[in-house]
Amino acid sequence: MSQKHLKEAFISNLNGTSLLEISLGLSLAPLCLLCRGLLLILYYLHYGKPLRSRKYSLLLDFLVLVSPLVLSCTVLSPIIFFMPSIIAAFCAGIFSKIYSQRKHETRVPFKQIVQEFQKTYLDPEFIPAITVFRVYVNVLTSISILAVDFPQYPRRYAKAETYGTGVMDLGVGAYIFGNALVCPEVRQKSYVTQPKFSNLARQFFSIWPLIFLGVGRLLSVKSIEYHEHTSEYGVHWNFFFTLAFVRLAASLLLAIFPKDKSWIIAINLAVLYQLILNTTSLKMFILHGSNGRDSRVGFLNANREGLLSLFGYLAIYMASVQVGLCLLKCRNSVKGWTEAARFLLLTALVLFLFLHVSQVHADPVSRRMANLSYCIWVLAHCLTFFTWFVVTDLTLVFTKLLVKGSSVPCCWNVVKPPNTGTKHGTEAVPTGKEGKLAHICLISAINKNQLLFFLLANVMTGTVNILIDTIQSKTAFTLCILHLYMFFNCFIMYILHARNIVFKFW
């Protein structure tokens, strides 16, 4: 077999892993974020000032926020079930140290701290969990698209061939979920009246970079005969096209129907699509082609997975719009966000129950078809993942109350109550040079240029695969390559952010 066919076989015919393993794996990112925040607060407690050095900030962010995720999907994957407990215990130790070493003049009873925490008001203009969720989806995707070509990446984490729940199967849906949370229809203020199809026109002009990238990826992959998983999207289709068409179709639906009823549209789309799959020959066509022998003759046959899965991804997008609208309701207090986290977690548990029913009575999870079970699975895990980030942010807010004056980048700012007459009387954010440096962090850097980060990761993945025989790589070499690859991607974003450069042409 040629090198191209060997690599294609290496990522094909896989069955995924368990829901529990994916859930435990997803908990690592919020725990790493919590660990980073606690370390910064502990540093402030010891030195009386935030970490000023950009060099050490980048190093800390990479070692705590990124490196554990690289290790967890390679050499530490056999003990993935213990990893959350280990990191959580480390975080508990740091918190205990912070609590015991507070300055005597600022020490108050624990009960009083809890009461103060419950009455705390948060900056209503910024929801850090949305930013962190979207950034981490990018980071996890970037790690996986290269790591999957190395033998140290467990095959059960890769995309399943037909049915199954691989970690990378979730990444595709999570990307759709994250985009819907910040779409124009969600961010638009309810009291602002605009022409009915204005958002559709805006989306029509904003998707051209995705079309351009999709065409660029298609031409580059075909020209260099790069290995590809044909049953993922088809011969010519790719995820850039999927994201572009889903965004455009969603804007059209939201221009016709009330956006606060998007969840009803999502349910109708997913259920109707599943009914058609089960009652017609559509399922057999997607899996085996028009002739039953995996024909790829004709555009529809060649790209049937990518074209027909649009219905499932559109359902995920519409449901996620409803989540985004729910999150942007005026919740500027700890109490409000605690209730929101409880509601999101309850919704996720209900979705997991529906997932069980759907897999038993309708169809198992299939990313290839983006069927009903896949839609429910993606939404359930994304809500759980997002809720963990909300809980992490609230924990860091509580810890910042213990150490007055400390700050954590990409975490909620504590503000004065609305009735004080001061809109944003920030209490816990340093000013001047320290305040500026406090916001130079890896998360905000990637957030500023997310599409560029994703594109750079794809280009670097292709470059590494062309230069290196990944299948035969030893463990030490694999870890070195993956860390260098991720550090290079992060370092470029960090430099751009430090220079306030944003690549956006639409």
Side-chain angles (χ1 to χ4, degrees):
M1 294 177 69
S2 67
Q3 189 71 11
K4 178 178 182 289
H5 290 115
L6 279 173
K7 289 191 174 184
E8 286 175 352
F10 192 58
I11 57 175
S12 302
N13 302 312
L14 305 171
N15 299 314
T17 185
S18 65
L19 300 182
L20 178 60
E21 185 169 15
I22 293 176
S23 297
L24 288 172
L26 288 178
S27 69
L28 295 179
L31 286 169
C32 289
L33 186 70
L34 177 62
C35 183
R36 191 278 300 257
L38 293 174
L39 286 172
L40 288 175
I41 295 172
L42 182 63
Y43 182 92
Y44 183 89
L45 180 63
H46 277 202
Y47 296 99
K49 59 183 179 182
L51 182 61
R52 295 182 179 182
S53 170
R54 293 186 180 184
K55 177 175 65 176
Y56 290 124
S57 293
L58 173 61
L59 187 61
L60 174 68
D61 282 356
F62 183 80
L63 290 177
V64 179
L65 300 180
V66 179
S67 186
L69 303 181
V70 174
L71 296 173
S72 68
C73 67
T74 51
V75 293
L76 296 182
S77 58
I79 59 166
I80 191 69
F81 286 91
F82 302 101
M83 288 292 293
S85 300
I86 294 171
I87 300 177
F90 185 67
C91 290
I94 300 173
F95 179 83
S96 176
K97 193 174 183 66
I98 291 171
Y99 186 79
S100 62
Q101 293 188 2
R102 290 172 299 151
K103 294 179 181 178
H104 289 284
E105 60 270 18
T106 60
R107 288 192 177 184
V108 292
F110 185 79
K111 185 177 180 180
Q112 184 178 333
I113 296 173
V114 173
Q115 291 174 348
E116 182 183 350
F117 172 67
Q118 292 174 339
K119 297 175 183 177
T120 298
Y121 281 84
L122 307 170
D123 185 354
E125 301 298 324
F126 175 55
I127 304 175
I130 293 179
T131 299
V132 176
F133 176 91
R134 298 181 73 240
V135 166
Y136 258 116
V137 168
N138 255 307
V139 169
L140 291 167
T141 302
S142 299
I143 293 171
S144 294
I145 60 175
L146 178 57
V148 70
D149 294 316
F150 289 91
Q152 290 75 20
Y153 188 87
R155 296 300 89 193
R156 65 184 185 276
Y157 289 179
K159 288 178 179 176
E161 185 68 28
T162 302
Y163 295 105
T165 53
V167 175
M168 294 184 71
D169 292 313
L170 179 63
V172 182
Y175 217 97
I176 297 286
F177 182 92
N179 268 265
L181 291 182
V182 295
C183 70
E185 291 82 5
V186 170
R187 289 184 282 111
Q188 182 180 310
K189 302 293 184 182
S190 57
Y191 56 79
V192 176
T193 56
Q194 291 186 343
K196 199 168 186 180
F197 290 91
S198 63
N199 287 325
L200 177 62
R202 191 181 301 124
Q203 286 281 32
F204 183 81
F205 288 106
S206 69
I207 65 170
W208 74 261
L210 295 172
I211 300 295
F212 176 77
L213 292 173
V215 172
R217 188 185 191 283
L218 171 63
L219 294 177
S220 60
V221 166
K222 299 301 180 184
S223 63
I224 64 175
E225 295 189 351
Y226 189 77
H227 67 278
E228 53 185 331
H229 193 185
T230 305
S231 64
E232 184 178 352
Y233 294 107
V235 177
H236 312 103
W237 203 262
N238 57 59
F239 180 66
F240 291 113
F241 292 140
T242 293
L243 186 56
F245 280 91
V246 165
R247 283 173 56 173
L248 197 60
S251 289
L252 177 61
L253 289 174
L254 292 168
I256 299 172
F257 301 101
K259 61 183 181 181
D260 59 345
K261 298 294 188 294
S262 57
W263 65 278
I264 297 177
I265 303 171
I267 291 175
N268 281 307
L269 270 172
V271 172
L272 180 61
Y273 177 50
Q274 185 63 54
L275 284 173
I276 294 173
L277 286 173
N278 284 0
T279 57
T280 67
S281 60
L282 184 62
K283 183 190 297 186
M284 294 303 296
F285 171 70
I286 294 175
L287 298 180
H288 304 293
S290 56
N291 64 354
R293 293 190 296 273
D294 200 26
S295 169
R296 293 288 175 179
V297 179
F299 183 77
L300 181 58
N301 252 320
N303 304 286
R304 56 185 183 267
E305 294 92 349
L307 292 170
L308 293 170
S309 64
L310 287 173
F311 294 103
Y313 289 125
L314 182 57
I316 294 172
Y317 192 98
M318 296 300 292
S320 306
V321 167
Q322 190 71 57
V323 176
L325 292 171
C326 176
L327 294 174
L328 288 185
K329 288 181 180 178
C330 188
R331 290 194 179 93
N332 59 351
S333 66
V334 166
K335 183 179 179 181
W337 275 104
T338 303
E339 293 173 354
R342 191 181 301 118
F343 174 76
L344 290 173
L345 188 58
L346 180 62
T347 304
L349 291 174
V350 172
L351 285 173
F352 277 119
L353 178 62
F354 285 157
L355 173 61
H356 175 72
V357 174
S358 177
Q359 292 207 99
V360 171
H361 297 286
D363 222 5
V365 173
S366 173
R367 183 260 324 147
R368 188 173 176 182
M369 291 183 282
N371 58 4
L372 176 62
S373 294
Y374 177 78
C375 295
I376 297 173
W377 175 61
V378 166
L379 290 170
H381 271 300
C382 285
L383 285 176
T384 306
F385 195 36
F386 182 85
T387 304
W388 283 334
F389 283 125
V390 172
V391 173
T392 297
D393 286 331
L394 291 174
T395 304
L396 290 174
V397 169
F398 180 82
T399 311
K400 287 195 294 183
L401 292 176
L402 298 176
V403 184
K404 300 294 183 181
S406 60
S407 64
V408 178
C410 290
C411 177
W412 261 308
N413 296 330
V414 177
V415 299
K416 293 181 180 179
N419 58 3
T420 61
T422 304
K423 185 177 181 181
H424 294 296
T426 307
E427 297 175 356
V429 180
T431 58
K433 185 179 178 182
E434 292 181 4
K436 185 178 180 181
L437 286 174
H439 291 84
I440 301 294
C441 77
L442 189 55
I443 292 172
S444 55
I446 296 174
N447 181 55
K448 285 288 185 181
N449 287 289
Q450 290 205 46
L451 185 57
L452 179 64
F453 180 79
F454 184 64
L455 177 61
L456 180 62
N458 276 269
V459 172
M460 291 302 298
T461 296
T463 303
V464 171
N465 270 280
I466 291 171
L467 298 175
I468 295 172
D469 181 7
T470 55
I471 298 179
Q472 303 299 326
S473 296
K474 302 298 182 181
T475 300
F477 182 74
T478 297
L479 292 178
C480 183
I481 291 296
L482 289 176
H483 277 88
L484 285 174
Y485 153 82
M486 284 305 298
F487 186 80
F488 176 78
N489 294 341
C490 294
F491 182 70
I492 296 297
M493 296 303 107
Y494 199 82
I495 292 297
L496 293 175
H497 183 50
R499 296 177 181 275
N500 199 27
I501 299 174
V502 179
F503 284 89
K504 190 170 184 178
F505 310 104
W506 62 95

